[in-house]
Amino acid sequence: MSENKTLERSSNDATNEWRVGAGAWVSLVVVLLVFSGLLFKVEGMAWLGAFDFTTLGGAFGTMKTPETNTFIGSGGISAKAGFLFALSLVPTVMLALGLLEIFTHYGAIRAAHKLLTPLLRPLLGIPGYTGLALITDLQSTDAGAALTKELYDSKKISRKDVVIMGAWQYSGAGLINNYFSIGSALFASLTIPIIIPLLLMFVLKFVGAAITRLVLNTAYKGDFDNE
């Protein structure tokens, strides 16, 4: 009798864990807006950029001479240069993980799982709660990777899921941020609306991840038999 009650309690706990309320949906919408880049440089409504992750991440100040150098300097090599570069990534990664921890507390992961599983499961074979890591990667590759690691460490995703997510994340990594910062140099030469190349690259991320999934399910199928 007590065993049945224990099983029933466990079942109820599992159900409650993935129950999605209004707060979870609001949390998901907010995190999507913050990390998706939709609020970045909105024409006529520049104030919305204050809520964008790139804006919140900010930028380091520069030296007086030359004015392009940050605290990393120029001409550095090997371990010391690598250390300073890694140090420069800490603020944005910490900010992203802190924000995601807050949104997760309010149910964003649960809402993402319910909303995105019907899309991501048939396309890429991965669960819906990976969607936050994928969306975060559109602006910050480091934060996206950190969230992916967190999902793997908590055993929410498998090694196979990580490989597929990696294929999606690192084909056009930091897509929105890099497209509008680095790719903007070519905008004047484009003969088509600037949104079209961005959408094409976004679609190709899914194509690349789908091909990776196919390869894992065929050529490397045996590598994941024990999962």
Side-chain angles (χ1 to χ4, degrees), residues 6 9 31 35 63 114 149 152 158 172 178 204 207-208 224:
T6 302
R9 190 181 302 113
V31 75
F35 285 101
M63 305 294 183
K114 186 169 184 177
K149 182 180 183 300
Y152 180 73
S158 64
N178 289 329
L204 289 177
V207 173
F224 304 97

Side-chain angles (χ1 to χ4, degrees), residues 93-116:
V93 173
M94 289 180 63
L95 172 63
L97 292 180
L99 289 173
L100 289 169
E101 190 66 28
I102 294 171
F103 291 129
T104 299
H105 174 76
Y106 287 104
I109 287 283
R110 298 195 303 273
H113 181 68
K114 186 169 184 177
L115 178 67
L116 298 176

Side-chain angles (χ1 to χ4, degrees), residues 36-37 40-41 174-185 187 194-195 198:
S36 66
F40 186 62
K41 293 183 179 179
L175 178 61
I176 292 176
N177 196 16
N178 289 329
Y179 183 73
F180 286 104
S181 59
I182 301 173
S184 59
F187 286 173
I194 62 173
I195 194 66
L198 181 64

Side-chain angles (χ1 to χ4, degrees), residues 138-155:
L138 292 175
Q139 290 219 62
S140 172
T141 57
D142 309 294
L147 185 55
T148 301
K149 182 180 183 300
E150 185 176 325
L151 289 172
Y152 180 73
D153 290 342
S154 60
K155 302 188 184 304

Side-chain angles (χ1 to χ4, degrees), residues 83-94:
F83 175 80
L84 284 179
F85 176 74
L87 190 63
S88 71
L89 302 177
V90 171
T92 51
V93 173
M94 289 180 63

Side-chain angles (χ1 to χ4, degrees), residues 56-76:
L56 293 172
F60 291 110
T62 57
M63 305 294 183
K64 286 187 175 180
T65 307
E67 295 180 352
T68 55
N69 280 353
T70 64
F71 75 94
I72 299 176
S74 60

Side-chain angles (χ1 to χ4, degrees), residues 4-168:
N4 291 336
K5 288 184 177 179
T6 302
L7 291 174
E8 184 178 350
R9 190 181 302 113
S10 299
S11 177
N12 290 336
D13 290 343
T15 301
N16 291 332
E17 182 184 358
W18 292 106
R19 183 172 295 168
V20 180
W25 290 115
V26 171
S27 179
L28 178 62
V29 170
V30 173
V31 75
L32 290 177
L33 290 174
V34 170
F35 285 101
S36 66
L38 293 175
L39 301 180
F40 186 62
K41 293 183 179 179
V42 179
E43 188 174 351
M45 302 181 72
W47 60 272
L48 287 174
F51 302 99
D52 182 76
F53 178 74
T54 300
T55 305
L56 293 172
F60 291 110
T62 57
M63 305 294 183
K64 286 187 175 180
T65 307
E67 295 180 352
T68 55
N69 280 353
T70 64
F71 75 94
I72 299 176
S74 60
I77 58 172
S78 300
K80 291 184 177 179
F83 175 80
L84 284 179
F85 176 74
L87 190 63
S88 71
L89 302 177
V90 171
T92 51
V93 173
M94 289 180 63
L95 172 63
L97 292 180
L99 289 173
L100 289 169
E101 190 66 28
I102 294 171
F103 291 129
T104 299
H105 174 76
Y106 287 104
I109 287 283
R110 298 195 303 273
H113 181 68
K114 186 169 184 177
L115 178 67
L116 298 176
T117 293
L119 172 67
L120 294 178
R121 184 66 77 182
L123 286 179
L124 305 180
I126 55 179
Y129 40 69
T130 61
L132 285 184
L134 301 183
I135 292 167
T136 302
D137 178 78
L138 292 175
Q139 290 219 62
S140 172
T141 57
D142 309 294
L147 185 55
T148 301
K149 182 180 183 300
E150 185 176 325
L151 289 172
Y152 180 73
D153 290 342
S154 60
K155 302 188 184 304
K156 286 185 171 65
I157 56 176
S158 64
R159 285 191 304 130
K160 183 178 178 181
D161 294 334
V162 171
V163 176
I164 295 172
M165 290 174 67
W168 193 97

